[in-house]
Amino acid sequence: MKFPPEYPDYITPGPIRWRRWGILLAAIWLIGSFLALLLRSTEQAPSGLAFWFFIIGFPSLFWALALAIRYLLLQIGLKNRSSYQQVVEQEQNDWWQERSLGIAIEKVYLIGPLGDEQSLYSGIMTGGTPAPNNPTLSSLRYPLLLNMPTAREQGLAHHLAQQLINSPEIKSRWQSLAYISWFGDEASFQIFIETIKSAVNNISFIRLDLKCIDDMDHVIDVFQQSIDANKWMLCAGTYSLPQSADAIPAGEAGFAWIASQAGNALLHRAEEIDVASDVESGMAARHLERYAHLDDMPECCLAMDQKSMAEFQPGGWSAIEHILAPYWGALGEISPYIAISMSLLHTLDTQQPCGWMSQCTENKMVIGVTVPHGNR
């Protein structure tokens, strides 16, 4: 999990203890009076106002000066503490504001066990699309690659690229592509980009790698800093899990997001939790609600698997109605990106916030949220 920066407390002088200062003044007067009595018993004792000023007035003035200095130091300390606290508060507010940034998505493409018909994936969250109904399958695979025994990720990358090439939304926009963020192996990326280049001339871009979910933070930063109204970003990836260690069949998937300033769904940064740590899942949920400026948990949440849902449910976010493992199987490292894609589809379709949860590794769970773009 990411936490705001912590700064040491500013040490200020303690409050003035007026009772002690009053006792000190009374002691000065008492000692002065005692000295006056002793000196008056001698023949050489001075007299008059000068005598009393020297015996009582001068020590009292010294006491008043010391008190004034102590009060001045206290006020300086309190002023410095106030300024320090304002700087710390501003730094923390800046951190929260930066963490609240997101990437605006206008279109999502998915390929997986249901095929490449996008309406089928949109129907998962509404209950209009039934899950694959063969429980004896040891894997859930992309139907068009069932006869490909090896190099399945490259095959997925080719079919995903074909989806983008045939998309009317971006057919005339390839020349304004600025970045491609890719999740997957190098061979799959080469197949993906060569397939696009075979249909699109003079395409140029800067590549960003998506090796783990934390890399989305960098992608969001690049989007915020570099993508204007005339540019767009493509986030995509493919993965095929050879076999699953759980009872869930092994799955495979590909995803692509068109990110631009015209996007109607905003993907916020995610929070990752190590199940072995003592960080409460509720803290991650509260962070996300603050990132997305939500008053409470999203009404709709989805989970890619039972484990991630069970980890975050005590924090208040429940996806019991939308556990997507029957549709996708076990997806391994690409699971968070498919969860994001499904959440984005729901937000794009309904213009409502949607929380998502997924397992990254055996001991790491991740949670995030998508919201309508421009809802603040």
Side-chain angles (χ1 to χ4, degrees), residues 297-345:
M297 65 165 286
E299 292 186 7
C300 181
C301 294
L302 64 88
M304 294 302 295
D305 52 84
Q306 186 72 35
K307 288 183 179 179
S308 60
M309 200 270 295
E311 177 67 25
F312 293 110
Q313 191 171 18
W317 287 35
S318 176
I320 195 168
E321 295 181 356
H322 300 292
I323 300 177
L324 306 187
Y327 294 89
W328 292 96
L331 291 177
E333 298 173 1
I334 203 174
S335 182
Y337 298 99
I338 302 304
I340 292 171
S341 301
M342 293 298 301
S343 180
L344 286 169
L345 278 177

Side-chain angles (χ1 to χ4, degrees), residues 32-45:
S33 300
F34 180 72
L35 290 176
L37 293 175
L38 289 179
L39 292 175
R40 279 193 173 277
S41 64
T42 63
E43 297 180 356
Q44 294 83 12

Side-chain angles (χ1 to χ4, degrees), residues 16 28 30 77 88 115 168 175 195 235 264 324 330 358:
I16 297 176
I28 290 174
L30 182 61
V88 169
Q175 306 308 319
T195 303
C235 301
N264 292 322
L324 306 187
S358 176

Side-chain angles (χ1 to χ4, degrees), residues 157-329:
H158 172 76
H159 282 271
L160 182 63
Q162 289 292 340
Q163 285 280 310
L164 296 175
I165 291 170
N166 296 328
S167 171
E169 288 86 357
I170 57 175
K171 197 165 187 178
S172 61
R173 299 169 58 188
W174 286 105
Q175 306 308 319
S176 58
L177 174 65
Y179 294 89
I180 292 182
S181 304
W182 178 257
F183 174 88
D185 60 29
E186 186 63 27
S188 299
F189 176 74
Q190 293 303 324
I191 292 291
F192 177 79
I193 199 61
E194 289 303 324
T195 303
I196 293 177
K197 286 183 176 180
S198 66
V200 181
N201 295 324
N202 301 321
I203 183 174
S204 63
F205 59 88
I206 298 173
R207 179 178 171 180
L208 304 173
D209 288 328
L210 290 174
K211 295 180 180 178
C212 63
I213 195 65
D214 276 347
D215 289 338
M216 278 304 304
D217 284 359
H218 178 60
V219 172
I220 289 173
D221 292 336
V222 171
F223 177 86
Q224 291 290 333
Q225 296 166 7
S226 304
I227 300 299
D228 55 26
N230 299 317
K231 298 179 182 178
W232 62 284
M233 173 188 289
L234 174 62
C235 301
T238 59
Y239 188 73
S240 178
L241 188 68
Q243 62 183 26
S244 173
D246 300 324
I248 305 174
E252 61 186 12
F255 71 93
W257 312 329
I258 307 304
S260 74
Q261 295 295 338
N264 292 322
L266 192 66
L267 168 62
H268 285 285
R269 305 180 197 267
E271 289 288 2
E272 187 180 66
I273 288 183
D274 192 327
V275 296
S277 71
D278 57 355
V279 176
E280 296 182 359
S281 59
M283 187 177 297
R286 301 295 85 75
H287 277 210
L288 289 170
E289 289 166 12
R290 185 164 179 176
Y291 296 163
H293 303 276
L294 300 176
D295 296 328
D296 201 353
M297 65 165 286
E299 292 186 7
C300 181
C301 294
L302 64 88
M304 294 302 295
D305 52 84
Q306 186 72 35
K307 288 183 179 179
S308 60
M309 200 270 295
E311 177 67 25
F312 293 110
Q313 191 171 18
W317 287 35
S318 176
I320 195 168
E321 295 181 356
H322 300 292
I323 300 177
L324 306 187
Y327 294 89
W328 292 96

Side-chain angles (χ1 to χ4, degrees), residues 8 10 21 29 84 104-105 159 178 205 207 214 283-284 332 348 357:
Y10 187 88
W21 283 89
W29 288 346
Y84 177 79
I105 307 297
H159 282 271
F205 59 88
R207 179 178 171 180
D214 276 347
M283 187 177 297
L348 287 169
M357 311 165 208

